Amino acid sequence: MDPMEVFKIEVTGEEEFGAKKYRELIMDILQDLGLIRSIGRLYVYVDIKKPFFSVYGLLRSGIPPLTAKDVGDVMKVQGGYQIKINDEEHMADLLRVLWERYGRERVDQPARDVLIIASDSSPADITVADLEAEFLQDLTDALVRIAPEGFRNRRNEMTKDSFLFIAAEEQLTQEIVSEIKEKIREMENA
Amino acid sequence: MLEPVMFTGGLYKHDLIVELVEDLGGYILQKNVTQSEIILLILVPSEDKDALEALAKELRAELVRAPLAGTETAVVTPTLAIHHLPHTACDIAEYLRRHGSKTNMIGLARGVGREIAQINEYETALINEHDAAVFIYGNFQDCIKHKEKLYQNISIPVVVTGGPQIEAKELPYAFDYVPSIGRVAHRAKKATEIGTLDRIVESVGRALDKTRASIAKDPLTTSPPRVMDAVREQVPDVEFSYSPLPIALNLTGVRVKLPYSRYKEEVAAVKFDEGVRLGEIASIRPSQMKEYILVRILPSSETGFVF
């Protein structure tokens, strides 16, 4: 079963097999990169004679930025605050933002997963990483992997809740872009 | 008639197998030691295969036919990018290897795309040094037909693989077309996928048989394994080559992995029991691969004798 609400793929010419295989391929790559849950709808339109490859997707609701309290437990202790790290993946990012905010001399790390900040202001709401930016980066990587190799003229229009990716061998003209947009609108309304 | 077989067993007492093969007049083509296991690729006279089988059974080892042993296959992808590797290309290469072939993976410099795909003279010459080539294409019928231009100047048999069903006659320059293995992003593990790999092996096997049949019409002056044995004996430096397989066998000769400029005379001077030298019965030229030496044995119609 598709984890997405809508997943349509259309290839011009007699390429039913190609369309079916690309469906599997897109699923495999999105799953590998852990992106599949963040995409709600996906429309793929390919014309292999011209040739170009396009993907339009609607993203599920935005991902909030990661804060210090998501990474570990923040507690008030004598002389400051203590963070007990639960998710070490973002340790480096956390240290970087704490150093920036409080200065190195006020951030102490007595154990591998414990940080003590000598300050009166709580670090709980400090932003550690912008997951949305990371997600968009991963998504671009996935789209480049999905597009057939050699389609090196690319256009990537990303907004907060959707993306349109076009890749072609020849230069992208205004006609091609509007043809793709038209087609995708048709697929959406069908 | 020599029969290609693969021996897989323990390292302990494997020298008995080596000795037996030498006594029977066969050849050890390749020796791979992995900790306490050993894999030997062997050519053994078909009438004596039973003796070898009996000894393998005694040693609790496995002996299977390796139809592609003693040949070199090129596995060609449009490039060495994530789109083709590791899944399709490595699966095919590994599967061919399991059947005894030596495979080289070749990624073209500019093989990508539909209209812009191209192959250059060097790449063509490099692929032509092999016995057969497998070209790995994708999922779109139109592209597979269009990209015929990449292999139409290649003189060895080319097996094309791709996703959709296409009649073999629609690809006149290919020896065969194997469908249902286009671009995939996961490892081949389902029964149908393994079946497709089997079909590729079978198809490459047929391509090699065709080459063998055409060689048989004008037989080579001597057999490549014999040249390999003689070179190994008389050019001892070959054992110090860093390659895992210092002498690679082809259907029409061998590739000696030593620098051409320093060793060409030494290889040409290799002498056989019959009194002839290798330089007299074979052309010795630089290989397209690194700076190796390519030995191509001349047919009997050129030398006037067979031994």
Side-chain angles (χ1 to χ4, degrees):
Chain A
M1 201 194 84
D2 284 356
M4 278 177 256
E5 293 147 31
V6 184
F7 184 3
K8 285 187 191 168
I9 179 157
E10 258 194 63
V11 185
T12 51
E14 290 173 10
E15 299 282 3
E16 294 82 20
F17 182 88
K20 202 179 103 217
K21 273 287 160 193
Y22 258 83
R23 196 186 178 84
E24 287 173 21
L25 192 96
I26 291 170
M27 289 297 231
D28 276 342
I29 292 177
L30 291 179
Q31 243 151 15
D32 275 358
L33 294 172
L35 299 170
I36 205 143
R37 293 188 165 277
S38 313
I39 298 171
R41 299 176 186 192
L42 204 63
Y43 303 90
V44 181
Y45 176 50
V46 186
D47 189 334
I48 212 66
K49 297 260 176 182
K50 290 204 169 134
F52 64 71
F53 179 89
S54 60
V55 191
Y56 174 71
L58 289 173
L59 303 174
R60 293 218 167 107
S61 56
I63 312 156
L66 194 76
T67 56
K69 62 177 183 290
D70 300 326
V71 180
D73 305 324
V74 183
M75 278 171 287
K76 180 101 177 83
V77 289
Q78 202 184 2
Y81 283 89
Q82 177 190 301
I83 309 176
K84 169 92 172 49
I85 310 293
N86 296 326
D87 178 9
E88 261 187 308
E89 192 190 334
H90 295 283
M91 187 74 184
D93 291 325
L94 178 65
L95 273 174
R96 190 174 41 79
V97 292
L98 289 176
W99 286 341
E100 259 169 39
R101 172 87 159 270
Y102 300 100
R104 278 192 184 231
E105 64 290 346
R106 291 165 75 187
V107 181
D108 188 26
Q109 189 175 9
R112 181 173 147 175
D113 57 346
V114 177
L115 291 173
I116 294 175
I117 296 119
S119 169
D120 288 339
S121 68
S122 166
D125 294 317
I126 193 167
T127 307
V128 175
D130 187 357
L131 291 185
E132 190 153 349
E134 264 177 43
F135 165 74
L136 292 180
Q137 223 169 335
D138 285 352
L139 183 64
T140 312
D141 177 37
L143 292 169
V144 170
R145 274 197 213 183
I146 289 167
E149 212 200 348
F151 286 30
R152 296 209 170 125
N153 291 305
R154 302 187 191 117
R155 169 184 285 223
N156 196 358
E157 290 173 10
M158 280 195 176
T159 63
K160 236 181 146 36
D161 50 8
S162 75
F163 62 89
L164 173 65
F165 176 85
I166 306 172
E169 240 177 47
E170 298 298 329
Q171 211 168 6
L172 282 170
T173 56
Q174 198 50 51
E175 289 84 67
I176 292 184
V177 176
S178 37
E179 184 199 326
I180 290 168
K181 284 187 175 167
E182 175 83 6
K183 182 73 198 176
I184 282 170
R185 210 168 303 132
E186 258 174 50
M187 285 167 77
E188 252 186 308
N189 297 331
Chain B
M1 179 73 183
L2 293 169
E3 178 117 349
V5 287
M6 193 188 318
F7 169 91
T8 317
L11 199 56
Y12 175 64
K13 279 193 179 176
H14 84 276
D15 42 341
L16 292 180
I17 293 277
V18 177
E19 267 171 36
L20 181 65
V21 170
E22 277 166 9
D23 291 348
L24 295 173
Y27 302 94
I28 304 283
L29 303 182
Q30 201 176 340
K31 201 185 223 181
N32 269 337
V33 183
T34 47
Q35 298 192 346
S36 60
E37 281 257 306
I38 188 162
I39 298 170
L40 294 173
L41 277 180
I42 300 168
L43 282 183
V44 62
S46 35
E47 56 273 23
D48 297 322
K49 201 183 149 197
D50 295 342
L52 192 66
E53 263 170 3
L55 182 59
K57 203 174 169 197
E58 206 184 303
L59 296 176
R60 305 279 186 274
E62 196 187 12
L63 196 72
V64 289
R65 199 168 178 269
L68 308 182
T71 64
E72 218 177 10
T73 311
V75 176
V76 188
T77 54
T79 56
L80 289 178
I82 195 165
H83 296 76
H84 317 283
L85 294 162
H87 302 298
T88 5
C90 292
D91 283 345
I92 293 174
E94 193 207 323
Y95 215 70
L96 287 169
R97 240 172 263 151
R98 278 194 203 174
H99 288 80
S101 174
K102 178 182 182 307
T103 57
N104 292 320
M105 287 177 70
I106 298 174
L108 302 179
R110 289 167 201 278
V112 294
R114 182 175 180 271
E115 302 296 328
I116 55 172
Q118 37 181 295
I119 184 166
N120 64 26
E121 207 180 328
Y122 166 72
E123 288 163 339
T124 311
L126 181 62
I127 295 168
N128 276 338
E129 277 185 16
H130 296 77
D131 297 307
V134 180
F135 270 69
I136 300 172
Y137 284 163
N139 289 328
F140 295 119
Q141 223 185 98
D142 188 65
C143 288
I144 296 171
K145 288 182 196 161
H146 194 84
K147 285 175 87 166
E148 201 175 44
K149 60 186 176 188
L150 292 189
Y151 57 84
Q152 65 187 11
N153 286 328
I154 285 173
S155 50
I156 57 167
V158 173
V159 175
V160 178
T161 71
Q165 294 285 343
I166 303 178
E167 288 287 317
K169 65 172 187 285
E170 287 187 63
L171 301 168
Y173 292 99
F175 173 78
D176 199 5
Y177 173 75
V178 182
S180 56
I181 183 143
R183 201 183 140 196
V184 281
H186 58 256
R187 257 198 92 192
K189 54 191 170 196
K190 293 181 200 150
T192 49
E193 289 163 343
I194 304 291
T196 309
L197 294 178
D198 279 330
R199 282 220 297 287
I200 295 173
V201 170
E202 182 262 333
S203 186
V204 171
R206 264 193 297 123
L208 294 170
D209 283 344
K210 195 183 145 210
T211 314
R212 282 193 190 105
S214 71
I215 292 172
K217 285 179 193 154
D218 185 6
L220 298 177
T221 310
T222 187
S223 69
R226 194 161 172 208
V227 173
M228 180 184 76
D229 241 24
V231 172
R232 200 189 275 156
E233 222 169 73
Q234 295 173 41
V235 188
D237 282 6
V238 81
E239 293 300 328
F240 297 102
S241 164
Y242 287 123
S243 306
L245 187 65
I247 305 177
L249 273 187
N250 293 140
L251 287 177
T252 55
V254 296
R255 181 183 297 116
V256 184
K257 293 175 179 171
L258 285 173
Y260 177 78
S261 47
R262 268 182 61 200
Y263 287 93
K264 60 175 187 286
E265 280 92 15
E266 214 172 313
V267 171
V270 166
K271 203 170 173 188
F272 294 94
D273 295 342
E274 287 81 357
V276 282
R277 293 188 182 279
L278 186 57
E280 296 160 8
I281 57 152
S283 76
I284 292 163
R285 49 179 197 259
S287 166
Q288 301 288 336
M289 200 180 289
K290 297 191 182 164
E291 216 215 321
Y292 296 152
I293 305 171
L294 193 69
V295 179
R296 285 286 173 258
I297 303 164
L298 299 172
S300 60
S301 60
E302 282 185 49
T303 55
F305 60 99
V306 175
F307 64 92

